[in-house]
Amino acid sequence: MKKILVLLVLLCANFLAFAQGVEVASSEEYTNPLQQGYWKAVLGQDETGFYVLSEEGPINNTVIMVEKFSHQLKPIFRTQLINAAGTFNDSYLHRDAMYGKGNLVQFIEGWNKAKQQNALYVQQFNLEDGRPAGEQILLETEASESQMKASTFKYSFSPDGSKLLVITEKPFVKGGKEGMRLQVFNTSDYTPIWKNDLVLETPSERNPVQEIAVNNEGVAYVFKDLQNDLKERLFHIFTVDGSKVKRHEIALTDLNRGQFKVQVDYNGNLIAAGTLAPKGKPSNN
């Protein structure tokens, strides 16, 4: 297994750890015909252009788009994504759009009241014209007593785009332990490679704070921030390869955590970066 490198960077770590050379380019000047439209995120780029997530329209009827521009910033395509569909008891909602080296996808969460379960789907798009590439693929389902108490999902592509990690964060259980399910998929057809249900020693909580990553071999990483007591914070890094689970612990005394992020680099090393500050001070150091 590749050596794990954990870097706690104190000055603007999220940017420094993943910084790359920057080129600035300008497109031809044009008027935006949609006064309520704006770019929300840059999803990624390849040798043919850039992929951008945008939204337009009023807040009560937002249209979500994926756009592609050439490296000369010429528009190539605009594709509308599902925002919301179905009925109250059988609904589909946009959760995210991502680009992972050769994979342009939308993640859609579904809720079915009759089955009392929520589900995660992935929709692929053609990189040349933005058209949907096949039907939606069901990745995961999880039983739940209500939509408000349903599981939540997180996902991450490997650096080469060949693997997708999906983590299912189990619903909050009062007095129970935190639970999660990890699955790794081949992105060639989104068939599962392995699945592992974990029950941690930490108490169940609402909206757990954790970051995830997966390497090109399908090894998953979960980076969790835990409050041990008033003076100490614990960072747990779980390395999961199918049924094999390892835990690495980092204790930080008298420090607060700000933003943090994990990523697997192209050499297979895990890099964790974040901002830290002494107790009672802003986390901008």
Side-chain angles (χ1 to χ4, degrees):
M1 183 179 294
K2 301 283 187 178
K3 181 180 179 182
I4 296 177
L5 301 179
V6 180
L7 306 178
L8 297 175
V9 183
L10 299 182
L11 291 175
C12 301
N14 286 333
F15 301 100
L16 294 178
F18 313 124
Q20 298 179 1
V22 176
E23 293 184 5
V24 178
S26 298
S27 65
E28 296 179 3
E29 185 174 330
Y30 66 95
T31 301
N32 179 9
L34 301 168
Q35 298 304 312
Q36 293 177 303
Y38 61 94
W39 290 327
K40 189 173 182 181
V42 177
L43 302 178
Q45 69 177 73
D46 58 21
E47 64 277 5
T48 65
F50 303 91
Y51 302 91
V52 179
L53 183 67
S54 64
E55 293 185 358
E56 57 193 52
I59 191 171
N60 62 344
N61 191 26
T62 303
V63 176
I64 303 173
M65 310 288 292
V66 166
E67 302 180 70
K68 182 177 181 179
F69 296 85
S70 70
H71 288 285
Q72 293 73 39
L73 301 183
K74 298 282 188 182
I76 296 177
F77 67 69
R78 300 180 78 241
T79 296
Q80 183 173 340
L81 305 182
I82 291 175
N83 187 357
T87 65
F88 183 77
N89 294 326
D90 189 9
S91 59
Y92 299 89
L93 295 173
H94 163 81
R95 285 304 182 213
D96 205 356
M98 294 178 66
Y99 174 80
K101 196 165 185 181
N103 300 280
L104 180 62
V105 301
Q106 180 187 19
F107 292 102
I108 302 165
E109 187 170 339
W111 166 252
N112 188 298
K113 184 177 181 180
K115 296 181 180 180
Q116 286 196 301
Q117 71 177 24
N118 64 333
L120 180 68
Y121 300 85
V122 62
Q123 173 65 66
Q124 299 172 277
F125 294 91
N126 189 289
L127 298 180
E128 285 73 39
D129 58 17
R131 295 177 182 272
E135 301 295 324
Q136 295 176 13
I137 299 173
L138 176 64
L139 298 177
E140 169 71 309
T141 60
E142 181 69 19
S144 175
E145 60 182 274
S146 70
Q147 188 173 14
M148 295 297 293
K149 297 181 179 180
S151 298
T152 56
F153 305 107
K154 289 183 179 178
Y155 15 79
S156 179
F157 282 110
S158 62
D160 67 358
S162 66
K163 307 293 188 300
L164 173 71
L165 168 64
V166 174
I167 178 172
T168 304
E169 299 170 333
K170 299 299 184 69
F172 169 75
V173 178
K174 187 175 181 180
K177 299 294 185 180
E178 182 177 354
M180 65 177 71
R181 177 182 300 124
L182 283 76
Q183 294 187 79
V184 172
F185 298 84
N186 272 315
T187 57
S188 58
D189 56 4
Y190 288 94
T191 54
I193 300 173
W194 59 260
K195 175 170 63 175
N196 195 337
D197 284 85
L198 300 180
V199 178
L200 309 184
E201 293 302 315
T202 54
S204 179
E205 60 179 329
R206 295 180 175 89
N207 304 314
V209 178
Q210 53 203 15
E211 289 287 333
I212 64 172
V214 60
N215 67 17
N216 295 336
E217 286 71 44
V219 178
Y221 304 97
V222 181
F223 188 51
K224 288 190 61 64
D225 177 15
L226 304 172
Q227 179 75 53
N228 188 37
D229 55 38
L230 294 178
K231 291 187 176 182
E232 185 180 53
R233 297 197 75 90
L234 294 178
F235 291 89
H236 286 180
I237 300 177
F238 294 89
T239 303
V240 187
D241 185 4
S243 61
K244 301 175 183 178
V245 181
K246 293 183 179 181
R247 186 183 69 176
H248 309 269
E249 185 176 293
I250 305 171
L252 299 172
T253 304
D254 296 323
L255 289 172
N256 279 327
R257 176 199 59 81
Q259 295 181 341
F260 70 99
K261 183 72 175 178
V262 297
Q263 180 172 314
V264 175
D265 67 18
Y266 284 97
N267 294 319
N269 298 311
L270 176 67
I271 299 175
T275 56
L276 299 173
K279 293 281 187 179
K281 296 183 179 181
S283 56
N284 56 2
N285 296 313

